[in-house]
Amino acid sequence: MRTIKTINDNWTFSKKPDDQNARAINLPHTWNAKDGQDGGNDYYRGYGYYCKQLKIEKDSASEYWLQFDAVAQRATVYVNDQEVGHHDGGYSAFRLNVTAALQDGGNTIKVVADNLANDQVYPQKADFTFFGGITRDVHLIQVGHAHFALGHYGDSGIKITPRFASDQAADAEVEVAIRTEGAADGSTVTMQVDGQVVSGVIKDNHAQLTLTIKDAHRWDGIDDPYLYHALFTLNTDDDQQLISFGCRTYHFDPIKGFILNGRPYRIVGAAKHEDYYGVGPAVTREMEDQDNRLLLGMGGNAWRLAHYQHSDYEYAAADRLGILVWAEIPQITTYMKSGDANAAQQLTELICQNWNHASIICWTLSNEITTSTGVTADLLACHQRLNDLAHRLDDSRLTCMANAFMLEPDSELLKVPDLRTYNLYYGWYVPGIDENEHFLDEFHAKYPDMMIGLSEYGADNNPAFHSEHPEQGDYTEEYAALYHEHMLNIWVQRPWLGMLFPWTLADFSADGREEGGKPGQNQKGLVTIDRRIKKDSYYIYKAYLSKQPFVHICGHRYTKRPRHTVIKVYSNQPEVALFVNDQLVAKKRGHYVFTFALNLPARSQITATAGNCRDSIAITVTDQPVPEYSNGGKGPSLIGLTKIQLTRPIIPLMTASTS
């Protein structure tokens, strides 16, 4: 039977090989936890050397495999000074059969990792830090010689594809791969779900079986994320695995948007990086749980897990919580023909390792890949191959791309995947916030049979910066709030808009940035990188999306204001009352955003109530500028958006003919 032991403790790390002064660490770990988040674009990109002593009592009836959930960005693994494998790509799991290299008693495991620049492994250019290290868990797996396959792109060896044969009945189609020494033909695999048992016979190390669920309980997003749990057994007890799956149907309608289990279900959530203050990508499960609470707390129902494969724990949590997931590979910004093989490898690993997750609805082939070169013949051919590969591996899900807002809507590249989305930054990187809806409306008018979604949009903002007259590029919390109000208004009026992902849930590491008062961070998040502050823009999403009653006064950190000011309140309740120093000033009815023009006394306690909800802030009047509220007039930098035309593509509209 299979045993899995996590071996995260008692490693050593150094930037030098065979360093006698290597420091003791526990995993997960990155060597860029500090210098990858402090700006200057000078974080260490080189080699890291990890070592662990491992003692085992070796069993001749067993095989031993090492599983690395992620090593960034490239890894070579040694056991007792014998190279046992190499892996390119810093975000997917890989396994190595180390049976022959392990010895009874003490063993030395060494991992040489690097995050050096190269022209073969994605990513190489993007607006985030390319951390190095063993950034997720490491496991030692012990199995019998006959077991569910461990060596196929890091997957479980079991693929479950639920398909509805009728409105009620679902067939769980299963493909199983095993590994065994000696003849395996005639061996059996059994699948047990809720008392139902089906069996399949092994032939050529593979088996296929189907379990019919007559009255299938559908996985229905956050409303009812029901999961089935299938116990698979090889022969009597050679190996066992418990695999969760969900039964659901979905598609995108160019008029009605996303349809889940036959009903419109609007996708709106947030994008996120696997990144946290002080630890980079070496996040804990508690940190990932916190992000899920933040998303659900604002009423979101979907993740864009960018720009690479995230942890299996995150995908599994989305399954349990009913959060829809966009999954993608890190083919980003700059296309490399020499990286074609790696893009295909990372896509294969992403799909194979995650095909049993009910939450995932699309496999995304690239992000803003035309930014540096435009659409070339090689780039187009690469995406056509990736699209075909994704459909061969998994014909039950859709493919997608996130396109830079400079890409012409009539480009051949847009026709490659099943879904097309845009990253639009009108109103931040370029003038004209109204250009966002103009772009979308023109696209929808020209291509009414095509689904379009918003995969990115946002405005950097530092919650320490404030203004009575916010404007594009000032990094104030107030401008970002206005920006997101505008974008949500676009979304609510256009049911055909297939998905909406603000960029991002949380600020994240981008060591090349030197702006907005926080070097080393992209500050487009709805919350800060340490998750301690929910910015005002977080609450406008809660007003539009959440069913939990609340009221929020904007500007909790904007405590020094002129006497004549406007107090803005967000709420999902129909009426808000405002009090100044316990005196009722006004009541207003409305939707989402409530504003109150006030003439304040020198010191004011402002309180807003909506039903049983209340929120308060304290304001001190000043007639003088507050220097700490300003970014000093420095506007946003165009990270990764150089040498291109930053204007909105013109979409020629169809005109009616007369006769």
Side-chain angles (χ1 to χ4, degrees), residues 159-173:
K159 177 184 179 182
I160 306 173
T161 306
R163 304 184 195 274
F164 275 86
S166 67
D167 288 342
Q168 289 79 35
D171 292 334
E173 300 174 357

Side-chain angles (χ1 to χ4, degrees), residues 222-238:
I222 58 175
D223 297 324
D224 187 9
Y226 187 85
L227 292 172
Y228 289 93
H229 307 285
L231 180 64
F232 290 89
T233 304
L234 177 60
N235 294 322
T236 305
D237 59 359
D238 285 340

Side-chain angles (χ1 to χ4, degrees), residues 75-391:
T76 305
V77 181
Y78 302 84
V79 174
N80 298 325
D81 294 323
Q82 176 183 337
E83 183 177 333
V84 294
H86 178 87
H87 184 261
D88 288 336
Y91 309 101
S92 49
F94 64 96
R95 298 194 192 101
L96 302 170
N97 188 340
V98 296
T99 307
L102 282 176
Q103 59 191 21
D104 190 49
N107 296 270
T108 300
I109 300 173
K110 294 181 179 179
V111 179
V112 181
D114 80 79
N115 62 341
L116 289 162
N118 64 82
D119 63 355
Q120 295 180 329
V121 180
Y122 284 106
Q124 290 300 321
K125 185 178 181 181
D127 183 20
F128 60 94
T129 300
F130 303 151
F131 291 93
I134 303 179
T135 57
R136 297 190 193 129
D137 296 343
V138 180
H139 314 275
L140 178 66
I141 303 173
Q142 181 179 352
V143 290
H145 293 299
H147 56 265
F148 295 107
L150 291 166
H152 185 264
Y153 293 101
D155 66 32
S156 63
I158 299 170
K159 177 184 179 182
I160 306 173
T161 306
R163 304 184 195 274
F164 275 86
S166 67
D167 288 342
Q168 289 79 35
D171 292 334
E173 300 174 357
V174 181
E175 301 172 41
V176 177
I178 71 161
R179 171 187 164 89
T180 184
E181 291 185 356
D185 288 1
S187 300
T188 60
V189 174
T190 60
M191 173 187 185
Q192 182 175 339
V193 178
D194 293 346
Q196 286 185 261
V197 180
V198 294
S199 298
V201 178
I202 301 294
K203 184 176 182 181
D204 298 329
N205 284 334
H206 288 82
Q208 292 184 328
L209 51 155
T210 299
L211 183 141
T212 299
I213 305 172
K214 293 183 179 180
D215 189 13
H217 190 153
R218 292 177 182 248
W219 188 93
D220 203 31
I222 58 175
D223 297 324
D224 187 9
Y226 187 85
L227 292 172
Y228 289 93
H229 307 285
L231 180 64
F232 290 89
T233 304
L234 177 60
N235 294 322
T236 305
D237 59 359
D238 285 340
D239 196 9
Q240 278 191 335
Q241 287 198 80
L242 186 65
I243 307 290
S244 298
F245 68 95
C247 300
R248 78 281 186 273
T249 61
Y250 71 91
H251 69 278
F252 284 87
D253 184 286
I255 303 301
K256 299 178 180 178
F258 183 67
I259 308 297
L260 178 64
N261 296 321
R263 64 185 173 97
Y265 186 92
R266 301 209 68 184
I267 294 177
V268 57
K272 68 167 284 189
H273 272 281
E274 199 170 54
D275 182 40
Y276 204 98
Y277 182 72
V279 300
V283 298
T284 65
R285 291 184 173 184
E286 289 76 13
M287 293 172 181
E288 294 186 278
D289 290 341
Q290 182 181 25
D291 282 352
N292 287 323
R293 290 194 298 270
L294 285 166
L295 179 77
L296 295 173
M298 75 178 200
N301 62 14
W303 280 126
R304 179 187 175 189
L305 295 183
H307 281 302
Y308 38 75
Q309 182 171 331
H310 284 231
S311 73
D312 184 72
Y313 180 81
E314 183 62 74
Y315 296 116
D319 292 344
R320 296 192 305 272
L321 297 170
I323 301 172
L324 295 169
V325 169
W326 154 316
E328 69 184 86
I329 61 171
Q331 186 173 228
I332 180 172
T333 305
T334 298
Y335 169 70
M336 306 181 298
K337 182 172 174 55
S338 54
D340 282 1
N342 182 254
Q345 172 207 313
Q346 293 203 51
L347 181 62
T348 301
E349 290 171 333
L350 174 70
I351 295 173
C352 291
Q353 291 173 24
N354 296 290
W355 49 28
N356 293 323
H357 288 300
S359 55
I360 297 176
I361 59 172
C362 65
W363 308 117
T364 301
L365 311 179
S366 64
N367 177 78
E368 296 185 352
I369 197 62
T370 59
T371 299
S372 297
T373 64
V375 180
T376 66
D378 286 337
L379 184 152
L380 183 61
C382 171
H383 282 75
Q384 289 167 337
R385 289 192 298 270
L386 291 176
N387 191 64
D388 292 343
L389 173 63
H391 286 137

Side-chain angles (χ1 to χ4, degrees), residues 13 169 227 295 317 322 380 410 536 653:
F13 168 76
L227 292 172
L295 179 77
L380 183 61
D410 59 354
D536 287 338
L653 296 180

Side-chain angles (χ1 to χ4, degrees), residues 386-427:
L386 291 176
N387 191 64
D388 292 343
L389 173 63
H391 286 137
R392 285 198 308 273
L393 292 171
D394 181 9
D395 65 0
S396 70
R397 289 184 177 88
L398 303 174
T399 55
C400 188
M401 286 178 59
N403 298 292
F405 65 113
M406 299 77 61
L407 180 67
E408 297 291 344
D410 59 354
S411 170
E412 285 297 309
L413 189 61
L414 277 177
K415 301 176 184 178
V416 173
D418 301 312
L419 308 175
R420 57 218 48 84
T421 69
Y422 269 93
N423 301 345
L424 298 185
Y425 284 102
Y426 302 114

